[in-house]
């Protein structure tokens, strides 16, 4: 998983966004990748090769018409060394050459020779980007399996406003990591719920729980990285929406119920990592409750059980995964939940285990399956565990 140990060949072509490739180089290296930078002659007008040399720790290969035999060998060896080949920023010119197999400089000859996945991050003036010829070229590249990282919209260096900005470094890193990830969830729709719910007592108070949403967000991020079309129905959290994920915000269990159930039929997988409140105050006071002298008794009403509703309306082939957090009798309670809610899989964790549960970056769980089998992967990051959960759901879906 990730960029650690990978060789990234980064081609920098001549546009004002070339300076941003320096930050990309630095962040790729911090993520554990080896970065080999290739520049076109015109890119060196915007940023010096020395910058990349310092950041990458390798000699920057600059385009030259004065090519001798050694250069030829270098471009082939770089083409072979690449685990992923990145052009960022990519000018309209290099995109046109790539689409038509023109190889007249170091960048384009190396590109033509590589068998690695290719990521292209276009950056140019809006008019050039929107021009039908550029769009047609990008379609051609997409059709051939190139990964295009869409440019951002905003104010461009030339003063125009529109599409054409090189995306920020986290977006580029995401595009590169995605090109390296197996796209085994491509074409699948995955819905994930995450976070707590909040049940209002009055305009200033609510009932909730300690969920931070980390497990659900990690699942959504990994599913999107592996090519799924992901909807994340999220209770209130402090987390950023993962790249490539469509997020729907909800507050209460009833809102979550509505947003999930209305989308359920279209999903191939539903993973219910949210910590849904089982109860809500029977009445929500329209104004702030004022304190009195004695005790306050609040009557709670039952919330709908979303997972149970999904389990009982599950269509053939759809995979349903629930979560169970317990403080006692973990596996018995979890097995019972799996059966009652008609899940294919249940992820059980104990609040008592170190490194598991609310707010941690790791998790220790037991996975229970509908056929009665179980497994307990070792303590690991929520990202790595997400990959295992997705692997198992895919395998079980394939078994039918
Ligand atoms: N869940 C749900 N709707 C609810 C309550 C829970 O969809 N109203 C889902 C959670 O998202 C989770 C699973 O059910 O995937 C288990 O949640 P948990 O609170 O552990 O189970 P409960 O059924 O509420 O059982 P109990 O509170 O009795 O342990």
């Amino acid at each position: 998983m990730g960029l650690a140990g990978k060789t990234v060949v980064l081609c920098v072509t001549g546009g004002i966004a070339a300076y941003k490739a320096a930050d990309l180089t630095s962040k790729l290296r911090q993520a554990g990748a080896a970065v080999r930078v290739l520049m076109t002659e015109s890119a060196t007008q915007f940023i010096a090769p020395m910058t990349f040399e310092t950041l990458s720790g390798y000699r920057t290969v600059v385009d030259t018409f004065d090519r001798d035999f050694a250069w030829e060998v270098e471009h082939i060896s770089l083409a072979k060394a690449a685990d992923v080949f990145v052009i960022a920023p990519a000018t309209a010119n290099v995109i046109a050459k790539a689409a038509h197999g023109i190889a007249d400089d170091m960048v384009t000859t190396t590109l033509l020779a590589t068998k690695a996945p290719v990521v292209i991050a276009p950056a140019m003036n809006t008019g050039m980007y929107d021009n039908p010829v550029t769009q047609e070229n990008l379609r051609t590249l997409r059709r051939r399996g190139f990964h295009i990282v869409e440019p951002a919209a905003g104010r461009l260096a030339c003063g125009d406003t529109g599409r054409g900005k090189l995306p920020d470094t986290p977006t580029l890193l995401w595009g590169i990591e995605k090109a390296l990830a197996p796209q085994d969830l491509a074409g699948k729709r995955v819905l994930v719920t995450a976070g707590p719910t909040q049940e209002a007592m009055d305009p200033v108070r609510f009932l909730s729980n300690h969920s931070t949403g980390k497990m659900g967000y990690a699942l959504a991020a990994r599913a999107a990285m592996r090519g799924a079309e992901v909807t994340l129905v999220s209770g209130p959290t402090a987390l950023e929406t993962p790249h490539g994920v469509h997020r729907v915000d909800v507050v209460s269990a009833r809102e979550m119920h509505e947003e999930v159930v209305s989308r359920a039929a279209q999903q191939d997988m539903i993973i219910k990592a949210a910590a849904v409140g089982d109860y809500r105050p029977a009445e929500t006071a329209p104004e702030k409750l004022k304190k009195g002298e004695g005790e306050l008794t609040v009557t709670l009403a039952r919330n709908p059980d979303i997972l149970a509703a999904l389990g009982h309306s599950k269509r053939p082939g759809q995979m349903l995964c629930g979560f169970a957090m317990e403080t006692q009798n973990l596996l018995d309670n979890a097995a019972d939940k799996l059966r009652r809610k008609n899940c294919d899989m249940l992820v059980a964790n104990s609040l008592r285990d170190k490194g598991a549960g609310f707010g941690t970056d790791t998790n220790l769980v037991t996975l229970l399956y509908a056929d009665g089998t179980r497994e307990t992967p070792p303590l690991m990051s929520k990202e790595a565990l997400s990959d295992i959960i997705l692997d198992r759901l895919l395998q079980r879906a394939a078994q039918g």
Side-chain angles (χ1 to χ4, degrees):
M1 189 170 74
L3 295 159
K6 303 291 183 196
T7 297
V8 180
V9 172
L10 172 61
C11 299
V12 182
T13 65
I16 182 60
Y19 77 94
K20 295 184 183 169
D23 186 48
L24 178 62
T25 305
S26 166
K27 297 296 184 327
L28 281 167
R29 235 188 133 183
Q30 283 171 31
V35 190
R36 309 293 302 266
V37 179
L38 268 167
M39 295 177 80
T40 57
E41 189 83 37
S42 55
T44 65
Q45 301 293 318
F46 294 94
I47 183 165
M50 172 74 92
T51 304
F52 294 108
E53 239 146 60
T54 312
L55 292 171
S56 71
Y58 287 99
R59 190 160 58 94
T60 301
V61 180
V62 179
D63 232 333
T64 171
F65 290 109
D66 179 25
R67 287 210 297 276
D68 56 25
F69 185 66
W71 286 107
E72 287 296 328
V73 171
E74 179 132 28
H75 94 84
I76 296 298
S77 73
L78 280 178
K80 284 187 182 153
D83 290 304
V84 59
F85 196 96
V86 182
I87 309 183
T91 57
N93 188 42
V94 80
I95 289 168
K97 287 185 192 176
H100 295 91
I102 296 170
D104 62 353
D105 58 19
M106 275 297 284
V107 167
T108 47
T109 47
T110 315
L111 172 64
L112 205 57
T114 194
K115 292 194 168 67
V118 181
V119 179
I120 293 203
M124 64 196 76
N125 165 271
T126 304
M128 293 169 81
Y129 182 71
D130 288 338
N131 191 305
V133 75
T134 305
Q135 289 302 315
E136 181 64 38
N137 288 336
L138 286 169
R139 269 195 296 279
T140 302
L141 294 178
R142 240 186 229 108
R143 205 172 51 242
R144 295 201 189 120
F146 284 50
H147 303 260
I148 313 293
V149 182
E150 300 286 338
R155 191 177 175 284
L156 303 171
C158 54
D160 286 357
T161 302
R163 296 190 299 171
K165 279 168 79 80
L166 190 70
D168 59 11
T169 306
T171 305
L172 294 172
L173 289 171
W174 175 78
I176 297 167
E177 207 181 322
K178 188 160 190 257
L180 284 162
Q183 295 300 294
D184 51 0
L185 288 171
K188 300 245 184 271
R189 291 209 180 103
V190 176
L191 186 146
V192 180
T193 70
T197 59
Q198 292 179 354
E199 311 298 329
M201 278 180 70
D202 70 10
V204 293
R205 304 177 179 95
F206 54 79
L207 287 180
S208 191
N209 56 63
H210 292 296
S211 170
T212 58
K214 280 185 179 170
M215 189 67 231
Y217 276 58
L219 277 159
R222 293 307 304 165
M225 188 67 90
R226 290 167 63 164
E229 192 183 311
V230 183
T231 306
L232 174 63
V233 180
S234 174
T237 73
L239 302 174
E240 272 183 44
T241 309
H243 277 288
V245 168
H246 172 60
R247 171 166 151 188
V248 178
D249 286 321
V250 296
V251 176
S252 67
R254 283 190 294 177
E255 283 170 26
M256 185 174 277
H257 179 263
E258 192 178 317
E259 297 294 353
V260 171
V261 169
S262 64
R263 290 175 170 81
Q266 296 99 49
Q267 308 301 323
D268 297 297
M269 289 180 188
I270 304 181
I271 309 178
K272 287 249 23 185
V276 185
D278 290 323
Y279 293 94
R280 64 177 183 278
E283 278 171 38
T284 304
E287 304 298 339
K288 186 183 166 195
L289 292 168
K290 303 303 279 182
K291 65 175 167 297
E293 286 309 316
E295 291 178 342
L296 171 70
T297 303
V298 180
T299 305
L300 301 179
R302 267 295 303 268
N303 274 331
D305 189 322
I306 309 168
L307 185 59
L310 296 172
H312 295 112
S313 60
K314 199 153 65 86
R315 62 168 173 77
Q318 186 177 56
M319 299 306 286
L320 182 61
C321 174
F323 273 68
M325 170 163 296
E326 307 286 349
T327 55
Q328 54 186 354
N329 300 333
L330 174 69
L331 295 180
D332 289 345
N333 279 333
D336 180 52
K337 240 168 242 185
L338 174 94
R339 254 192 322 274
R340 270 192 291 117
K341 305 196 187 193
N342 196 27
C343 296
D344 299 287
M345 177 172 160
L346 200 116
V347 183
N349 62 1
S350 165
L351 203 51
R352 304 274 181 241
D353 286 332
K354 203 168 172 295
F358 294 131
T360 56
D361 290 322
T362 54
N363 214 348
L364 181 62
V365 301
T366 298
L367 307 177
L368 295 90
Y369 303 102
D371 61 9
T373 56
R374 300 173 176 179
E375 64 173 314
T376 305
L379 180 76
M380 62 179 76
S381 71
K382 287 183 172 171
E383 276 71 25
L385 179 62
S386 297
D387 272 330
I388 293 187
I389 293 170
L390 294 166
D391 286 348
R392 300 298 182 268
L393 287 171
L394 254 184
Q395 284 160 7
R396 293 200 171 237
Q399 286 161 8

